[in-house]
Amino acid sequence: MKSAWWKESVIYQIYPRSFCDSNGDGIGDIQGIISKLDYLKRLGIDIIWLSPVYQSPNEDNGYDISDYQKIMKEFGDMEDFDKLLAEAHMRNIRIIMDLVVNHTSDEHAWFVESRKSKDNPYRDFYIWKEGKDGKEPNNWGSWFGGSAWQHDEATDMYYLHIFAKKQPDLNWDNSELRQKVYEMMRWWLEKGVDGFRMDVISLISKNPDFPDGEVNGLYGDLTPYCAHGPHVHEYLQEMNREVLSKYDIMTVGETACVTLEEAKKYAGEDRNELDMVFQFEHVELGSGKYGKWNDKPIDLRELKSVFQKWEEGLEGIGWNALFWSNHDQPRAVSRFGDDKEYWEYSAKMLGVCLHLMKGTPYIYQGEELGMTNAGFTELSDYRDLESINAYHEMVEEQGVSAEEMMTYLQKKSRDNARTPMQWSAEENAGFTTGVPWIKVNSNYKQINAQAQLENPDSIYNFYRRLIQLRHEEEIVVHGSFEMLYKESDQIFAYQRVLSNIKLVVLCNFTPNHVAFDGIPKKAQILIENYKDECGNYLRPYEAIAYKILDDTQG
Ligand code: GLC
Ligand code: CA
């Protein structure tokens, strides 16, 4: 496969609202990010993915954009942004922007115009339909609760919103709209940004028949008619031809509902669409009757088979994007490890497991400290509209008990990942001198950056070493991937091979001692999360990676 800087990189996701507040208003901001660039440089990451910083009424924390070319007031202004970009580049850190173009805010000038009249020049920038028998055009349910259609008085028609009411979907079948989006993208690229993470880009092309979806719960499922729709690849190729291909940048698509076959189209190296995509199968394991709302533990064999499928499936075709967590997911160590007794071991183990697979690893802010789920016990502590809407819908309309729903929120709510970054043991974890917009996780006195920077054995310093490995060892980037211990429901192990070198990675996903084959004498250990040697047992959440000459290869 071709080499590229983004294959040799580690990406760090910043959720600006919760990263660092520079002026005491309780909201993270761009100056706050600038003040932490040296922290990131020390960690060793290469690229920052910046969650949206554009002007927004914040119905969905910036994923509802009212002006793509302005900075959200709470975060600063364009001068601050330019400074951030320059300061990052000075440190050889690239920045990729969140591109949210499946929808805008209803406060975006295009929508304000669009809803005015049926013959407004912007009418066709959005998806408008007549009602059916005085009701919604079809039975689709919004992913954030309620119908996916909103009636609009002015013209007595409905507009589509896959997400919140305040996030109307753009009509990508309109070529004028597409050109406007490309123009905006060029404007950012000319500024010097290094690429885009494309929000729910798999949803931009809708089935033109708008058929009813299969009902589960209260509404019909729109997924089959909106994900990977009829023109999505055509539009991405057009975007690539007209915009992306003209710059030395990287792109990663958030491709909700993506299958391996679809991913090969989005991210196939010969397809001229995107560089890589996020797939969600490993974070959606256990989804059932109420979708993501459940408290099922992870089945390791299922988890392994998902990674095996993606690693093997894209080999020679496309590039994997590797992640345990992001701003929409619970904290990695709480979901896949043990955030209590084996907190430190399991957080390090998860790092090893992910970073040495084939693909580009993404670290979500705080993961490098082993930050855990906040697990709020009061509904009033939650800020995320998805969580709050789901609570009301499930408890008030679907008969789920309040206690049961609360345990689901504690495990799965997006707010688990959105509590402020834990910088120090000072008040509010050093995130703000004011009142934080969302509560700080109560464990900040134990888990914080300051303590970990000073401790050579901390999770932070372990992540540093992991990142270094990618920069030093070609095999981490380019080696082929093969699963080992396939049948084990306790060990996640694989090997990477590059010419006559082999890299073996062994991870114990349990709190038990687990027997394994041991480590060959000639092996060179690259990283491990216990200090002394292991013998023939992997200890609780132990992780070891070693390199060895592969004498089975010519
Ligand atoms: C993506 C974002 C999520 C947002 C949604 C709607 O899934 O990651 O945070 O709520 O799109 O924009
Ligand atoms: Ca602030």
Side-chain angles (χ1 to χ4, degrees), residues 103-169:
H103 45 268
T104 66
S105 163
D106 64 342
E107 296 180 33
H108 192 289
W110 298 340
F111 191 75
V112 172
E113 284 302 312
S114 183
R115 80 193 319 177
K116 280 185 182 160
S117 67
K118 291 185 184 175
D119 53 10
N120 187 283
Y122 289 90
R123 184 66 171 180
D124 203 30
F125 272 37
Y126 294 84
I127 300 172
W128 292 98
K129 291 266 173 272
E130 301 284 353
K132 238 193 202 156
D133 314 321
K135 290 208 308 235
E136 288 78 14
N138 69 21
N139 71 359
W140 292 357
S142 152
W143 285 6
F144 284 170
S147 167
W149 297 97
Q150 176 65 26
H151 181 256
D152 204 52
E153 299 262 301
T155 55
D156 190 22
M157 284 177 76
Y158 292 80
Y159 65 84
L160 178 70
H161 61 92
I162 296 184
F163 297 93
K165 268 201 257 280
K166 283 181 68 66
Q167 293 170 298
D169 279 58

Side-chain angles (χ1 to χ4, degrees), residues 215-489:
V215 178
N216 53 31
L218 303 172
Y219 295 92
D221 180 12
L222 56 76
T223 307
Y225 312 107
C226 295
H228 328 302
H231 302 289
V232 67
H233 297 292
E234 175 191 326
Y235 297 155
L236 285 175
Q237 283 173 12
E238 177 185 83
M239 178 197 285
N240 189 298
R241 200 167 53 241
E242 298 196 19
V243 186
L244 307 174
S245 61
K246 313 249 192 273
Y247 300 85
D248 177 23
I249 55 168
M250 66 152 277
T251 54
V252 53
E254 187 207 20
T255 44
C257 313
V258 74
T259 58
L260 183 58
E261 287 320 302
E262 277 298 329
K264 288 177 184 170
K265 298 185 195 156
Y266 287 114
E269 283 202 341
D270 58 352
R271 295 268 309 174
N272 297 321
E273 294 186 25
L274 304 174
D275 292 326
M276 46 185 153
V277 296
F278 290 123
Q279 61 82 21
F280 294 92
E281 286 183 313
H282 62 305
V283 292
E284 281 167 2
L285 287 172
S287 293
K289 188 163 152 214
Y290 303 125
K292 74 182 259 184
W293 303 111
N294 65 74
D295 56 2
K296 278 224 199 105
I298 296 290
D299 177 315
L300 186 66
R301 259 189 289 212
E302 281 178 13
L303 183 71
K304 283 161 59 171
S305 70
V306 168
F307 278 110
Q308 182 179 351
K309 174 172 122 186
W310 284 89
E311 289 283 300
E312 288 175 359
L314 288 185
E315 179 60 43
I317 297 168
W319 195 252
N320 271 293
L322 305 168
F323 71 101
W324 287 127
S325 177
N326 59 37
H327 65 293
D328 294 329
Q329 300 293 330
R331 287 284 174 184
V333 68
S334 300
R335 174 114 163 103
F336 298 99
D338 171 359
D339 61 9
K340 308 235 155 50
E341 189 178 353
Y342 294 108
W343 162 71
E344 187 169 337
Y345 286 117
S346 67
K348 290 176 179 173
M349 181 279 288
L350 289 169
V352 172
C353 185
L354 194 83
H355 280 242
L356 301 182
M357 277 192 266
K358 190 164 190 172
T360 296
Y362 289 71
I363 299 172
Y364 177 66
Q365 67 183 41
E367 186 182 323
E368 77 281 16
L369 306 173
M371 275 179 63
T372 66
N373 280 354
F376 295 139
T377 52
E378 301 295 325
L379 188 63
S380 59
D381 287 335
Y382 286 90
R383 296 285 174 271
D384 170 30
L385 88 164
E386 182 199 42
S387 304
I388 296 168
N389 290 352
Y391 180 93
H392 289 300
E393 197 164 299
M394 300 245 311
V395 173
E396 287 152 28
E397 293 173 58
Q398 301 210 67
V400 174
S401 77
E403 296 73 47
E404 185 180 344
M405 188 57 195
M406 214 42 148
T407 61
Y408 298 157
L409 289 184
Q410 284 166 2
K411 289 233 182 291
K412 303 298 280 298
S413 167
R414 309 196 294 182
D415 280 340
N416 284 305
R418 296 177 179 186
T419 60
M421 187 63 185
Q422 292 164 211
W423 292 109
S424 72
E426 280 160 43
E427 208 183 339
N428 295 320
F431 162 74
T432 180
T433 54
V435 181
W437 70 276
I438 186 172
K439 267 196 181 168
V440 174
N441 189 317
S442 57
N443 63 17
Y444 70 89
K445 295 217 161 104
Q446 292 81 50
I447 303 179
N448 65 68
Q450 193 179 21
Q452 295 201 22
L453 283 163
E454 290 161 8
N455 171 5
D457 295 327
S458 65
I459 300 169
Y460 174 91
N461 280 311
F462 192 85
Y463 263 73
R464 255 185 105 186
R465 174 81 191 117
L466 265 177
I467 296 167
Q468 234 172 1
L469 276 179
R470 170 164 301 259
H471 296 149
E472 286 167 1
E473 304 282 343
E474 210 192 335
I475 193 167
V476 173
V477 180
H478 294 292
S480 63
F481 176 95
E482 191 194 333
M483 228 11 142
L484 303 173
Y485 294 84
K486 278 191 195 145
E487 299 309 317
S488 173
D489 57 3

Side-chain angles (χ1 to χ4, degrees), residues 20-29 74-75 432:
C20 180
D21 173 22
S22 71
N23 63 352
D25 66 354
I27 298 173
D29 46 53
E74 293 91 328
F75 289 177
T432 180

